[in-house]
Amino acid sequence: MKWHQLWGLSFTNYKGPVHFLLPGDKISLGSDELTVLLAPGHSPGSICFYCKAQHFVIGGDVLFRESIGRSDLPGGNHDQLLKSIKEQLFVLPDETIIYPGHGPATTIGYEKENNPFVN
């Protein structure tokens, strides 16, 4: 399904090459490198960006401080979201900072101990 059509979005103005991000892809930002983590559940293509050198994740709508992303939108899947959090994020070092799409930052260690949706 073309999700952009479901939401009434048009990409007809985009003329550049299309490159789909895949799990494990590396993205360079200056001297930093982000690794793409596939974390479906909030949506089928949810991804996070992990910077190992600086110990942070840009988490989008996957994991929040003491909460998780919605899974009731088209393509969402609650069980898959929990699996993504446990298998993609909770395997990272406890000191890894999570910068979610909304709300305050948190850490992997804090969420392992305090997130009621995952524990």
Side-chain angles (χ1 to χ4, degrees), residues 1-22:
M1 173 175 234
K2 296 183 178 182
W3 291 100
H4 67 281
Q5 292 173 337
L6 179 68
W7 295 101
L9 301 172
S10 170
F11 291 102
T12 57
N13 61 334
Y14 183 75
K15 305 293 185 219
V18 174
H19 174 77
F20 292 97
L21 296 174
L22 301 172

Side-chain angles (χ1 to χ4, degrees), residues 36-99:
V36 175
L37 305 176
L38 180 62
H42 170 66
S43 69
S46 289
I47 59 174
C48 300
F49 299 97
Y50 175 51
C51 182
K52 183 176 182 178
Q54 293 192 43
H55 309 286
F56 74 81
V57 169
I58 301 170
D61 288 351
V62 175
L63 181 64
F64 299 104
R65 183 175 178 87
E66 298 180 12
S67 191
I68 59 174
R70 293 177 61 178
S71 57
D72 62 331
L73 299 171
N77 181 303
H78 183 76
D79 292 334
Q80 183 65 58
L81 178 61
L82 295 177
K83 182 179 179 185
S84 293
I85 292 168
K86 291 175 183 176
E87 294 180 3
Q88 296 298 315
L89 299 179
F90 279 9
V91 297
L92 300 174
D94 285 350
E95 67 272 11
T96 304
I97 300 167
I98 302 288
Y99 294 108

